[in-house]
Structures are given as C-alpha cells and as structure tokens.
Amino acid sequence: MENKMFCYQCQETAGCAGCTMSGVCGKKPEVANLQDLLVYVTKGISAVTTALRAEGKAVAEDVNHLISVNLFTTITNANFDYDAIAAKIEETLSIKEELLGQLSAEARANLPEAAMYNGAKADFDEKAKTVGVLSTENEDIRSLRELITYGLKGLAAYSKHANALLKDNVEVDAFLQKALAATLDDSLSVDDLVALTLETGKYGVDGMALLDEANTSAYGNPEITQVNIGVRNNPGILISGHDLKDLEMLLEQTKGTGVDVYTHSEMLPAHYYPFFKKYDNFAGNYGNAWWKQKEEFASFNGPILMTTNCIVPPADSYKDRMFTTGAAGYPGCKHIDGKYGEVKDFSEIIEMAKNCQAPTEIETGTITGGFAHEQVFALADKVVDAVKSGAIKKFVVMAGCDGRAKSRSYYTEFAQALPKDTVILTAGCAKYKYNKLDLGDIGGIPRVLDAGQCNDSYSLALIALKLKEVFELDDVNDLPIVYNISWYEQKAVIVLLALLYLGVKNIHLGPTLPAFLSPNVANVLVENFGIAGITNVEDDIKSLIG
Ligand code: FSO
Ligand code: SF4
C-alpha cells in the first residue's frame, strides 16, 4: 500500500521503522505531511537568513524566534492542529519574501529551491508530499540530515523557553539556521554531515547553558525539595510541558482565587525553584509521565494547560478542559497566545477551574528532587567523601524520557536491580519509571538525584565535569559514571549530541535505537563513541556496573 505519510523521528515509530499510515502518537497523515512542509519552508527561510548574515546584514530577533517555534511545533506530540501549522507556513513564506528582497541578486541565485518556494495554502498538501524525509534518496545522507534536523528541533525547543524569558543567544540562532540550511545542500558529503552533527552537539551545550541561565536568573537555583503528590480540597489547574514562564503567569493570575495549581509530568521540576515556593496555591505534582495523561487528566477534574509536548490526543471526557499555549496545539482545544514579554491571559482557564470539582486523589506522599548543579556542588564534599570511602561505587545516568512501550519496564527493573552502592542521576520524564520506588539513600545522599527537566541534563554534564576536576582526571570517561539513557522524542536527540560533544563515551540508549540511524550512521556512532543499545537487566547490570 502506498504511504500516506512518513515519519520516524521518535522512539515509538511504527515497527521501529516508520509511521506510514498514521502516527502511533495520534498524528494524522495530513498533519504529518504539513509538518514536513513546515520543516521545509523553515529550512528555506534559514537559507535566506544564513545568506543575509553572510552579506553582513542583520536578522531580526523575531525571525529567529519564528524559526525556533516552527521547529518546536513539529516535535513529537507538540502540535496536532492542521490550521495552526498551515498558518505558520503562510507566515513564514510571507516573512521570507520580505527577507529575499534584502538579499543581493547574486546570493539569491545560489539559494536552494526551498528558499524560493512560495505556494498558496491550496497547494500545501500537494507540495508537502514531495518534501518529506524520503525525498532524500541516499539512506546515509537522509539519516544524517534527519539526525541533525531532530537535534535542531530539540535545540529550538530549549532556545524557545529561554526566549520566552527574554534571553537570546544569536550565535545559537545563527548556527541553528545555518545547519538547517545545510540539510538542503546536496553538495555535502557523509563526512561533512557527520562533522555538522557533532557541531550541533556543541551548540546543544550552548543552548542548554542559555536555558539554564535563563531559568536560574529568573527563578533561582533549584534546591532539594519535597514535592507533595497528593491533592487538596480546592479546584485545581494542571499545567504540563516545560515552559516555566507560562507557569509563572498562571501562578500570578491564580493567586487568591481559591484555585490551586498542580504540575504534571515535565513541569514537576518547577517545584525545585525557590521563586515558585512563594505561591501558596502551588499545590504539588499530580500524576506521572506524559503517556499516563488519559487517565490522570480525566481524574484531575479541572482544566489542563499544555505549554509544550507531550500531548496525548485527549478523550472527550476532558477535551473541553484542555488548553494549549506556545508551540503546542490540538484541534478543538482552545489555544492561548501571547508574545514574549507580554502577559498571557489565562482568565478563561481560571474561571473554568472555579466551577470544577477538586482533583480526585490518586497518590499520597512526596517525592524529592532539586539536584541541579548548584545543589549538588553544595553537597560536593559529602559526595566526594562517599566516593572516596567506597560508599558510592558508581553513578548511573538514567536521564531521558518515559513512554508507553511495555519494554520500558526495563528501566524500573534496572533501577531496582542496581547495587545499593550506586546513585542514579536523572533528568527528564524518564524519572517516573523509578522515582516512587523509595530506593533509599547513601549516608543521607538520596539514591535518585533528580536534576529536573530533560534540558537539565546540562546540570548532569556540569556535575560530571566538576567531579572530573575534583578527582583530577584527564578524561570524563575515567569517572565512576555510566550512562543508560532512555529516549523518546527530539529533545533527547540534542541531549545525546551534547553529551557526545562533551566527550562522553559508551552511552547505552534504549529501549530501542533510533529508526532514523542507517546501519552506516549507527556504525559511526558505535565506532567513535561506543554507543550501544540495551539488552536485559541482568546482563546490562553486569556490563555497566561489573
Ligand atoms: Fe519527556 Fe515529552 Fe522532557 Fe520530552 S515529557 S518526552 S525529551 O517531551 O521533553 O522528557
Ligand atoms: Fe510516528 Fe513518532 Fe512520527 Fe508520531 S512522531 S508519527 S509516533 S514517528
């Protein structure tokens, strides 16, 4: 049967090969194809901005922001709204036409076809079918182009969150656009694209540093925090995704209204920031990782605000109480817009909450987190002593994502099977596989140290570099740290590329290796970086822990 779409960007892709009829994530073929066109025109405008920079001409901040939001929109589970995606394509084309006018005739003549495309909305569906992943025929070139593009999507997501806090890094933006444009360049060889992949990792580190600076300068450094996972008696609003600025605006607007705010999934680490502790109505974290939202959003009873991915297509029972903002979108769910620096109006959500029942309790107790870089540095002496005395034998980085695949129970079992003298370092929604297991502590140091969101993997890298310095080692791979990372979507790709750039070797990646790695590209990663998959808990404990 003829493909209706082709997407293989996430870990849950159909048959570990590609979604061709409809997305496992719920993405319909027409939306998947239109996302391909959005990526294509975003690459096109990036070729234009890159050419403008080469001529010494400035590119406006708004254009950088548009490019980042476009890419973020196409991340797995972020936006399912055909009309919203079509509108972004139209806006991009119109801005690109303006920019083309600023470029010399000579530079225009050298632009790729994507930079010159200027179709009308009626043509989008037809055009979309010709610009997808499979339009690159050579499988290694395709694999590298997609690996770079997915890494850039992750980088764009992190940039977007920093931009929302009015922090920009024009070098990151310029690289992101240059690299996007390079994925259109047929003259680049496999070796060129491998080099560009590694360079993407460098900017991944810079992008995560930018976001870390944006978050900590606005909200303070994360600190050890016990987060309540039970509920109160007031009506509540559940906020999910990664955007802390949206959370801040929601907390400001719900103050004194009798409505509580709870976090879900990747918003949990917001509780670790000192700034948010001043809100009495910031009640706790409700539920688990993104893929459990169907049951948990139903029992929450109140409105839900999705600030980013990961959206599961909502059930009718709560669809009318689900709202989106930023790059997120779902047809039939109200989208609340707002420019950076402006206050978004969440009054409709708050009014709705007032008429809803309080959340139904699904758990009680607390979970502990807040082990980002400054908090861990504050504990450095204790940690170093524990390593020197042999109380801690190994750190196991188990950051990344959670997902619905049954095979992910591996991570729960792996965490349980780890010897008691090991400490798990985590970030991202991967933690939900083991953060309620009560794995105990080592001399007061919890055995699960949660740094925060997936972007806070940056903290884990800083911690590793600090330990390298303290132990006076030349190579970060000589530390007693092993990596068993789970991935799901494209933010995990930039985290992986960033770790590779920092020289980390022998990362184990699961539950399956990316379908977008061709055998040859996978080989490059295996040979140069020792990347490996996972096998079973027993063998992996033996090989990783010894
Ligand atoms: Fe998870 Fe989703 Fe943070 Fe991802 S909620 S899977 S890598 O969006 O971004 O860890
Ligand atoms: Fe399939 Fe993942 Fe693409 Fe969704 S994002 S269509 S599940 S590969």
PDB file of all heavy atoms in Angstrom, residues 5-14 17-20 22-28 32 35 74-77 80 150 404 488-490, ligand 2:
ATOM      1  N   MET A   5       2.020   8.913   4.679  1.00  0.00           N
ATOM      2  CA  MET A   5       2.912   9.855   5.367  1.00  0.00           C
ATOM      3  C   MET A   5       4.211   9.095   5.622  1.00  0.00           C
ATOM      4  O   MET A   5       4.263   7.875   5.420  1.00  0.00           O
ATOM      5  CB  MET A   5       2.302  10.281   6.712  1.00  0.00           C
ATOM      6  CG  MET A   5       2.043   9.096   7.657  1.00  0.00           C
ATOM      7  SD  MET A   5       1.270   9.538   9.221  1.00  0.00           S
ATOM      8  CE  MET A   5       2.717  10.037  10.169  1.00  0.00           C
ATOM      9  N   PHE A   6       5.224   9.797   6.064  1.00  0.00           N
ATOM     10  CA  PHE A   6       6.390   9.076   6.567  1.00  0.00           C
ATOM     11  C   PHE A   6       7.025   9.871   7.693  1.00  0.00           C
ATOM     12  O   PHE A   6       7.435  11.021   7.524  1.00  0.00           O
ATOM     13  CB  PHE A   6       7.443   8.809   5.485  1.00  0.00           C
ATOM     14  CG  PHE A   6       8.547   7.932   6.008  1.00  0.00           C
ATOM     15  CD1 PHE A   6       8.410   6.557   6.025  1.00  0.00           C
ATOM     16  CD2 PHE A   6       9.683   8.489   6.583  1.00  0.00           C
ATOM     17  CE1 PHE A   6       9.388   5.737   6.579  1.00  0.00           C
ATOM     18  CE2 PHE A   6      10.669   7.678   7.144  1.00  0.00           C
ATOM     19  CZ  PHE A   6      10.522   6.307   7.135  1.00  0.00           C
ATOM     20  N   CYS A   7       7.082   9.250   8.860  1.00  0.00           N
ATOM     21  CA  CYS A   7       7.724   9.902   9.998  1.00  0.00           C
ATOM     22  C   CYS A   7       8.387   8.822  10.840  1.00  0.00           C
ATOM     23  O   CYS A   7       7.781   7.803  11.144  1.00  0.00           O
ATOM     24  CB  CYS A   7       6.679  10.675  10.816  1.00  0.00           C
ATOM     25  SG  CYS A   7       7.387  11.540  12.241  1.00  0.00           S
ATOM     26  N   TYR A   8       9.646   9.044  11.171  1.00  0.00           N
ATOM     27  CA  TYR A   8      10.349   8.084  12.036  1.00  0.00           C
ATOM     28  C   TYR A   8      11.180   8.801  13.092  1.00  0.00           C
ATOM     29  O   TYR A   8      12.218   8.332  13.521  1.00  0.00           O
ATOM     30  CB  TYR A   8      11.171   7.078  11.239  1.00  0.00           C
ATOM     31  CG  TYR A   8      12.328   7.576  10.387  1.00  0.00           C
ATOM     32  CD1 TYR A   8      13.144   6.651   9.725  1.00  0.00           C
ATOM     33  CD2 TYR A   8      12.620   8.922  10.223  1.00  0.00           C
ATOM     34  CE1 TYR A   8      14.225   7.057   8.951  1.00  0.00           C
ATOM     35  CE2 TYR A   8      13.690   9.342   9.438  1.00  0.00           C
ATOM     36  CZ  TYR A   8      14.489   8.412   8.807  1.00  0.00           C
ATOM     37  OH  TYR A   8      15.554   8.830   8.037  1.00  0.00           O
ATOM     38  N   GLN A   9      10.667   9.979  13.506  1.00  0.00           N
ATOM     39  CA  GLN A   9      11.510  10.818  14.358  1.00  0.00           C
ATOM     40  C   GLN A   9      11.508  10.424  15.830  1.00  0.00           C
ATOM     41  O   GLN A   9      12.359  10.890  16.581  1.00  0.00           O
ATOM     42  CB  GLN A   9      11.110  12.285  14.203  1.00  0.00           C
ATOM     43  CG  GLN A   9       9.722  12.635  14.709  1.00  0.00           C
ATOM     44  CD  GLN A   9       9.439  14.141  14.616  1.00  0.00           C
ATOM     45  OE1 GLN A   9      10.337  14.928  14.357  1.00  0.00           O
ATOM     46  NE2 GLN A   9       8.198  14.539  14.833  1.00  0.00           N
ATOM     47  N   CYS A  10      10.565   9.583  16.259  1.00  0.00           N
ATOM     48  CA  CYS A  10      10.549   9.266  17.693  1.00  0.00           C
ATOM     49  C   CYS A  10      10.743   7.782  17.949  1.00  0.00           C
ATOM     50  O   CYS A  10      10.706   6.963  17.037  1.00  0.00           O
ATOM     51  CB  CYS A  10       9.268   9.777  18.350  1.00  0.00           C
ATOM     52  SG  CYS A  10       7.867   8.676  18.166  1.00  0.00           S
ATOM     53  N   GLN A  11      10.903   7.440  19.204  1.00  0.00           N
ATOM     54  CA  GLN A  11      11.200   6.060  19.594  1.00  0.00           C
ATOM     55  C   GLN A  11       9.999   5.139  19.376  1.00  0.00           C
ATOM     56  O   GLN A  11      10.156   3.946  19.223  1.00  0.00           O
ATOM     57  CB  GLN A  11      11.655   6.023  21.066  1.00  0.00           C
ATOM     58  CG  GLN A  11      12.231   4.701  21.535  1.00  0.00           C
ATOM     59  CD  GLN A  11      11.156   3.736  22.013  1.00  0.00           C
ATOM     60  OE1 GLN A  11      10.145   4.154  22.565  1.00  0.00           O
ATOM     61  NE2 GLN A  11      11.363   2.441  21.776  1.00  0.00           N
ATOM     62  N   GLU A  12       8.789   5.716  19.361  1.00  0.00           N
ATOM     63  CA  GLU A  12       7.614   4.848  19.245  1.00  0.00           C
ATOM     64  C   GLU A  12       7.153   4.669  17.801  1.00  0.00           C
ATOM     65  O   GLU A  12       6.043   4.210  17.541  1.00  0.00           O
ATOM     66  CB  GLU A  12       6.489   5.398  20.133  1.00  0.00           C
ATOM     67  CG  GLU A  12       6.862   5.275  21.605  1.00  0.00           C
ATOM     68  CD  GLU A  12       5.737   5.606  22.587  1.00  0.00           C
ATOM     69  OE1 GLU A  12       4.642   5.977  22.155  1.00  0.00           O
ATOM     70  OE2 GLU A  12       6.000   5.503  23.790  1.00  0.00           O
ATOM     71  N   THR A  13       7.992   5.032  16.866  1.00  0.00           N
ATOM     72  CA  THR A  13       7.610   4.918  15.455  1.00  0.00           C
ATOM     73  C   THR A  13       7.176   3.479  15.128  1.00  0.00           C
ATOM     74  O   THR A  13       7.710   2.514  15.691  1.00  0.00           O
ATOM     75  CB  THR A  13       8.779   5.379  14.553  1.00  0.00           C
ATOM     76  OG1 THR A  13       8.282   5.559  13.240  1.00  0.00           O
ATOM     77  CG2 THR A  13       9.945   4.408  14.546  1.00  0.00           C
ATOM     78  N   ALA A  14       6.194   3.353  14.229  1.00  0.00           N
ATOM     79  CA  ALA A  14       5.588   2.046  13.957  1.00  0.00           C
ATOM     80  C   ALA A  14       6.636   1.020  13.531  1.00  0.00           C
ATOM     81  O   ALA A  14       7.443   1.276  12.637  1.00  0.00           O
ATOM     82  CB  ALA A  14       4.525   2.192  12.869  1.00  0.00           C
ATOM     83  N   ALA A  17      10.377   1.375  12.527  1.00  0.00           N
ATOM     84  CA  ALA A  17      10.821   1.661  11.159  1.00  0.00           C
ATOM     85  C   ALA A  17      10.267   3.001  10.660  1.00  0.00           C
ATOM     86  O   ALA A  17      11.002   3.816  10.108  1.00  0.00           O
ATOM     87  CB  ALA A  17      10.372   0.544  10.230  1.00  0.00           C
ATOM     88  N   GLY A  18       8.978   3.242  10.861  1.00  0.00           N
ATOM     89  CA  GLY A  18       8.405   4.497  10.383  1.00  0.00           C
ATOM     90  C   GLY A  18       6.889   4.433  10.404  1.00  0.00           C
ATOM     91  O   GLY A  18       6.305   3.383  10.133  1.00  0.00           O
ATOM     92  N   CYS A  19       6.257   5.534  10.747  1.00  0.00           N
ATOM     93  CA  CYS A  19       4.794   5.613  10.686  1.00  0.00           C
ATOM     94  C   CYS A  19       4.433   6.003   9.257  1.00  0.00           C
ATOM     95  O   CYS A  19       4.876   7.049   8.770  1.00  0.00           O
ATOM     96  CB  CYS A  19       4.270   6.658  11.664  1.00  0.00           C
ATOM     97  SG  CYS A  19       4.564   6.235  13.383  1.00  0.00           S
ATOM     98  N   THR A  20       3.651   5.171   8.595  1.00  0.00           N
ATOM     99  CA  THR A  20       3.355   5.425   7.180  1.00  0.00           C
ATOM    100  C   THR A  20       1.863   5.619   6.906  1.00  0.00           C
ATOM    101  O   THR A  20       1.501   6.128   5.850  1.00  0.00           O
ATOM    102  CB  THR A  20       3.855   4.258   6.296  1.00  0.00           C
ATOM    103  OG1 THR A  20       3.248   3.049   6.779  1.00  0.00           O
ATOM    104  CG2 THR A  20       5.372   4.129   6.353  1.00  0.00           C
ATOM    105  N   SER A  22      -0.523   6.386   9.754  1.00  0.00           N
ATOM    106  CA  SER A  22      -0.967   7.342  10.761  1.00  0.00           C
ATOM    107  C   SER A  22       0.062   7.253  11.878  1.00  0.00           C
ATOM    108  O   SER A  22       0.746   6.235  11.997  1.00  0.00           O
ATOM    109  CB  SER A  22      -2.355   6.922  11.250  1.00  0.00           C
ATOM    110  OG  SER A  22      -2.872   7.938  12.069  1.00  0.00           O
ATOM    111  N   GLY A  23       0.203   8.300  12.654  1.00  0.00           N
ATOM    112  CA  GLY A  23       1.231   8.259  13.693  1.00  0.00           C
ATOM    113  C   GLY A  23       0.791   7.442  14.899  1.00  0.00           C
ATOM    114  O   GLY A  23      -0.353   7.544  15.326  1.00  0.00           O
ATOM    115  N   VAL A  24       1.711   6.681  15.461  1.00  0.00           N
ATOM    116  CA  VAL A  24       1.444   5.993  16.732  1.00  0.00           C
ATOM    117  C   VAL A  24       1.091   7.048  17.792  1.00  0.00           C
ATOM    118  O   VAL A  24       0.309   6.821  18.697  1.00  0.00           O
ATOM    119  CB  VAL A  24       2.682   5.169  17.168  1.00  0.00           C
ATOM    120  CG1 VAL A  24       2.521   4.617  18.575  1.00  0.00           C
ATOM    121  CG2 VAL A  24       2.951   4.046  16.180  1.00  0.00           C
ATOM    122  N   CYS A  25       1.651   8.244  17.626  1.00  0.00           N
ATOM    123  CA  CYS A  25       1.389   9.351  18.558  1.00  0.00           C
ATOM    124  C   CYS A  25       0.002   9.953  18.364  1.00  0.00           C
ATOM    125  O   CYS A  25      -0.418  10.786  19.167  1.00  0.00           O
ATOM    126  CB  CYS A  25       2.431  10.444  18.355  1.00  0.00           C
ATOM    127  SG  CYS A  25       2.463  11.081  16.665  1.00  0.00           S
ATOM    128  N   GLY A  26      -0.692   9.553  17.285  1.00  0.00           N
ATOM    129  CA  GLY A  26      -2.018  10.118  17.017  1.00  0.00           C
ATOM    130  C   GLY A  26      -1.998  11.171  15.918  1.00  0.00           C
ATOM    131  O   GLY A  26      -3.031  11.743  15.576  1.00  0.00           O
ATOM    132  N   LYS A  27      -0.821  11.397  15.346  1.00  0.00           N
ATOM    133  CA  LYS A  27      -0.709  12.408  14.283  1.00  0.00           C
ATOM    134  C   LYS A  27      -1.317  11.851  12.994  1.00  0.00           C
ATOM    135  O   LYS A  27      -0.931  10.787  12.523  1.00  0.00           O
ATOM    136  CB  LYS A  27       0.766  12.743  14.099  1.00  0.00           C
ATOM    137  CG  LYS A  27       1.066  13.918  13.226  1.00  0.00           C
ATOM    138  CD  LYS A  27       2.501  14.430  13.447  1.00  0.00           C
ATOM    139  CE  LYS A  27       3.581  13.491  12.918  1.00  0.00           C
ATOM    140  NZ  LYS A  27       4.932  14.066  13.008  1.00  0.00           N
ATOM    141  N   LYS A  28      -2.270  12.599  12.425  1.00  0.00           N
ATOM    142  CA  LYS A  28      -2.927  12.160  11.187  1.00  0.00           C
ATOM    143  C   LYS A  28      -2.007  12.443   9.998  1.00  0.00           C
ATOM    144  O   LYS A  28      -1.186  13.370  10.036  1.00  0.00           O
ATOM    145  CB  LYS A  28      -4.227  12.937  10.999  1.00  0.00           C
ATOM    146  CG  LYS A  28      -5.251  12.704  12.113  1.00  0.00           C
ATOM    147  CD  LYS A  28      -6.147  11.535  11.762  1.00  0.00           C
ATOM    148  CE  LYS A  28      -7.298  11.317  12.720  1.00  0.00           C
ATOM    149  NZ  LYS A  28      -6.911  11.001  14.097  1.00  0.00           N
ATOM    150  N   ALA A  32       0.906  15.236   9.533  1.00  0.00           N
ATOM    151  CA  ALA A  32       2.317  14.824   9.409  1.00  0.00           C
ATOM    152  C   ALA A  32       2.919  15.444   8.147  1.00  0.00           C
ATOM    153  O   ALA A  32       4.036  15.987   8.173  1.00  0.00           O
ATOM    154  CB  ALA A  32       2.411  13.304   9.346  1.00  0.00           C
ATOM    155  N   GLN A  35       3.456  19.111   8.517  1.00  0.00           N
ATOM    156  CA  GLN A  35       4.651  19.368   9.348  1.00  0.00           C
ATOM    157  C   GLN A  35       5.921  19.238   8.511  1.00  0.00           C
ATOM    158  O   GLN A  35       6.872  19.999   8.693  1.00  0.00           O
ATOM    159  CB  GLN A  35       4.703  18.407  10.543  1.00  0.00           C
ATOM    160  CG  GLN A  35       3.666  18.750  11.605  1.00  0.00           C
ATOM    161  CD  GLN A  35       3.850  17.938  12.882  1.00  0.00           C
ATOM    162  OE1 GLN A  35       4.719  17.085  12.979  1.00  0.00           O
ATOM    163  NE2 GLN A  35       2.996  18.192  13.864  1.00  0.00           N
ATOM    164  N   THR A  74       6.946  21.048  15.348  1.00  0.00           N
ATOM    165  CA  THR A  74       6.961  19.742  14.678  1.00  0.00           C
ATOM    166  C   THR A  74       7.570  18.639  15.551  1.00  0.00           C
ATOM    167  O   THR A  74       7.732  17.509  15.094  1.00  0.00           O
ATOM    168  CB  THR A  74       7.758  19.818  13.353  1.00  0.00           C
ATOM    169  OG1 THR A  74       9.140  20.024  13.657  1.00  0.00           O
ATOM    170  CG2 THR A  74       7.257  20.944  12.463  1.00  0.00           C
ATOM    171  N   ILE A  75       7.922  18.955  16.785  1.00  0.00           N
ATOM    172  CA  ILE A  75       8.411  17.919  17.702  1.00  0.00           C
ATOM    173  C   ILE A  75       7.255  16.955  18.023  1.00  0.00           C
ATOM    174  O   ILE A  75       6.092  17.349  18.062  1.00  0.00           O
ATOM    175  CB  ILE A  75       8.986  18.588  18.991  1.00  0.00           C
ATOM    176  CG1 ILE A  75      10.400  19.102  18.705  1.00  0.00           C
ATOM    177  CG2 ILE A  75       8.973  17.642  20.184  1.00  0.00           C
ATOM    178  CD1 ILE A  75      11.127  19.677  19.913  1.00  0.00           C
ATOM    179  N   THR A  76       7.611  15.721  18.244  1.00  0.00           N
ATOM    180  CA  THR A  76       6.604  14.701  18.571  1.00  0.00           C
ATOM    181  C   THR A  76       5.633  15.184  19.641  1.00  0.00           C
ATOM    182  O   THR A  76       6.072  15.692  20.688  1.00  0.00           O
ATOM    183  CB  THR A  76       7.307  13.423  19.076  1.00  0.00           C
ATOM    184  OG1 THR A  76       8.149  12.950  18.039  1.00  0.00           O
ATOM    185  CG2 THR A  76       6.302  12.350  19.461  1.00  0.00           C
ATOM    186  N   ASN A  77       4.358  15.005  19.370  1.00  0.00           N
ATOM    187  CA  ASN A  77       3.319  15.257  20.382  1.00  0.00           C
ATOM    188  C   ASN A  77       3.142  16.723  20.761  1.00  0.00           C
ATOM    189  O   ASN A  77       2.548  17.009  21.797  1.00  0.00           O
ATOM    190  CB  ASN A  77       3.641  14.526  21.701  1.00  0.00           C
ATOM    191  CG  ASN A  77       3.334  13.063  21.644  1.00  0.00           C
ATOM    192  OD1 ASN A  77       2.579  12.629  20.798  1.00  0.00           O
ATOM    193  ND2 ASN A  77       3.895  12.311  22.559  1.00  0.00           N
ATOM    194  N   PHE A  80      -0.939  19.129  16.904  1.00  0.00           N
ATOM    195  CA  PHE A  80      -1.740  18.272  16.035  1.00  0.00           C
ATOM    196  C   PHE A  80      -2.727  19.100  15.205  1.00  0.00           C
ATOM    197  O   PHE A  80      -3.648  18.558  14.611  1.00  0.00           O
ATOM    198  CB  PHE A  80      -2.548  17.285  16.885  1.00  0.00           C
ATOM    199  CG  PHE A  80      -1.721  16.303  17.681  1.00  0.00           C
ATOM    200  CD1 PHE A  80      -1.112  16.675  18.881  1.00  0.00           C
ATOM    201  CD2 PHE A  80      -1.569  14.987  17.256  1.00  0.00           C
ATOM    202  CE1 PHE A  80      -0.379  15.761  19.629  1.00  0.00           C
ATOM    203  CE2 PHE A  80      -0.833  14.067  17.991  1.00  0.00           C
ATOM    204  CZ  PHE A  80      -0.234  14.457  19.190  1.00  0.00           C
ATOM    205  N   TYR A 150      16.585  16.684  13.773  1.00  0.00           N
ATOM    206  CA  TYR A 150      15.924  16.365  15.047  1.00  0.00           C
ATOM    207  C   TYR A 150      16.693  16.995  16.207  1.00  0.00           C
ATOM    208  O   TYR A 150      16.097  17.504  17.155  1.00  0.00           O
ATOM    209  CB  TYR A 150      15.783  14.846  15.238  1.00  0.00           C
ATOM    210  CG  TYR A 150      15.023  14.174  14.112  1.00  0.00           C
ATOM    211  CD1 TYR A 150      15.238  12.844  13.766  1.00  0.00           C
ATOM    212  CD2 TYR A 150      14.079  14.892  13.366  1.00  0.00           C
ATOM    213  CE1 TYR A 150      14.557  12.244  12.718  1.00  0.00           C
ATOM    214  CE2 TYR A 150      13.406  14.297  12.310  1.00  0.00           C
ATOM    215  CZ  TYR A 150      13.651  12.978  11.987  1.00  0.00           C
ATOM    216  OH  TYR A 150      12.982  12.398  10.942  1.00  0.00           O
ATOM    217  N   ARG A 404       5.155   4.908  26.455  1.00  0.00           N
ATOM    218  CA  ARG A 404       4.151   3.893  26.796  1.00  0.00           C
ATOM    219  C   ARG A 404       4.601   2.476  26.474  1.00  0.00           C
ATOM    220  O   ARG A 404       3.942   1.518  26.860  1.00  0.00           O
ATOM    221  CB  ARG A 404       2.827   4.222  26.137  1.00  0.00           C
ATOM    222  CG  ARG A 404       2.874   4.373  24.648  1.00  0.00           C
ATOM    223  CD  ARG A 404       1.650   5.143  24.126  1.00  0.00           C
ATOM    224  NE  ARG A 404       2.139   6.133  23.162  1.00  0.00           N
ATOM    225  CZ  ARG A 404       1.473   7.182  22.749  1.00  0.00           C
ATOM    226  NH1 ARG A 404       0.277   7.430  23.200  1.00  0.00           N
ATOM    227  NH2 ARG A 404       1.986   8.004  21.867  1.00  0.00           N
ATOM    228  N   TYR A 488      12.817   9.334  23.798  1.00  0.00           N
ATOM    229  CA  TYR A 488      11.522   9.246  23.128  1.00  0.00           C
ATOM    230  C   TYR A 488      11.461  10.225  21.968  1.00  0.00           C
ATOM    231  O   TYR A 488      11.331   9.823  20.823  1.00  0.00           O
ATOM    232  CB  TYR A 488      10.376   9.512  24.117  1.00  0.00           C
ATOM    233  CG  TYR A 488       9.027   9.639  23.450  1.00  0.00           C
ATOM    234  CD1 TYR A 488       8.547   8.642  22.606  1.00  0.00           C
ATOM    235  CD2 TYR A 488       8.219  10.758  23.662  1.00  0.00           C
ATOM    236  CE1 TYR A 488       7.313   8.767  21.980  1.00  0.00           C
ATOM    237  CE2 TYR A 488       6.989  10.879  23.044  1.00  0.00           C
ATOM    238  CZ  TYR A 488       6.541   9.889  22.198  1.00  0.00           C
ATOM    239  OH  TYR A 488       5.327  10.019  21.573  1.00  0.00           O
ATOM    240  N   GLU A 489      11.613  11.523  22.289  1.00  0.00           N
ATOM    241  CA  GLU A 489      11.465  12.480  21.183  1.00  0.00           C
ATOM    242  C   GLU A 489      12.734  13.293  20.941  1.00  0.00           C
ATOM    243  O   GLU A 489      13.803  12.906  21.370  1.00  0.00           O
ATOM    244  CB  GLU A 489      10.189  13.324  21.371  1.00  0.00           C
ATOM    245  CG  GLU A 489       9.921  13.819  22.773  1.00  0.00           C
ATOM    246  CD  GLU A 489      10.595  15.121  23.079  1.00  0.00           C
ATOM    247  OE1 GLU A 489      11.573  15.476  22.426  1.00  0.00           O
ATOM    248  OE2 GLU A 489      10.139  15.795  24.025  1.00  0.00           O
ATOM    249  N   GLN A 490      12.611  14.397  20.217  1.00  0.00           N
ATOM    250  CA  GLN A 490      13.796  15.010  19.627  1.00  0.00           C
ATOM    251  C   GLN A 490      14.625  15.851  20.614  1.00  0.00           C
ATOM    252  O   GLN A 490      15.778  16.178  20.333  1.00  0.00           O
ATOM    253  CB  GLN A 490      13.390  15.843  18.408  1.00  0.00           C
ATOM    254  CG  GLN A 490      12.755  14.985  17.307  1.00  0.00           C
ATOM    255  CD  GLN A 490      11.317  14.610  17.627  1.00  0.00           C
ATOM    256  OE1 GLN A 490      10.520  15.491  17.917  1.00  0.00           O
ATOM    257  NE2 GLN A 490      10.966  13.327  17.577  1.00  0.00           N
TER     258      GLN A 490
HETATM  259 FE1  SF4 B   2       5.268   8.119  14.400  1.00  0.00          FE
HETATM  260 FE2  SF4 B   2       6.729   9.227  16.312  1.00  0.00          FE
HETATM  261 FE3  SF4 B   2       6.404  10.450  13.982  1.00  0.00          FE
HETATM  262 FE4  SF4 B   2       4.375  10.259  15.725  1.00  0.00          FE
HETATM  263  S1  SF4 B   2       6.301  11.405  15.959  1.00  0.00           S
HETATM  264  S2  SF4 B   2       4.272   9.939  13.524  1.00  0.00           S
HETATM  265  S3  SF4 B   2       4.754   8.201  16.563  1.00  0.00           S
HETATM  266  S4  SF4 B   2       7.464   8.536  14.332  1.00  0.00           S
END
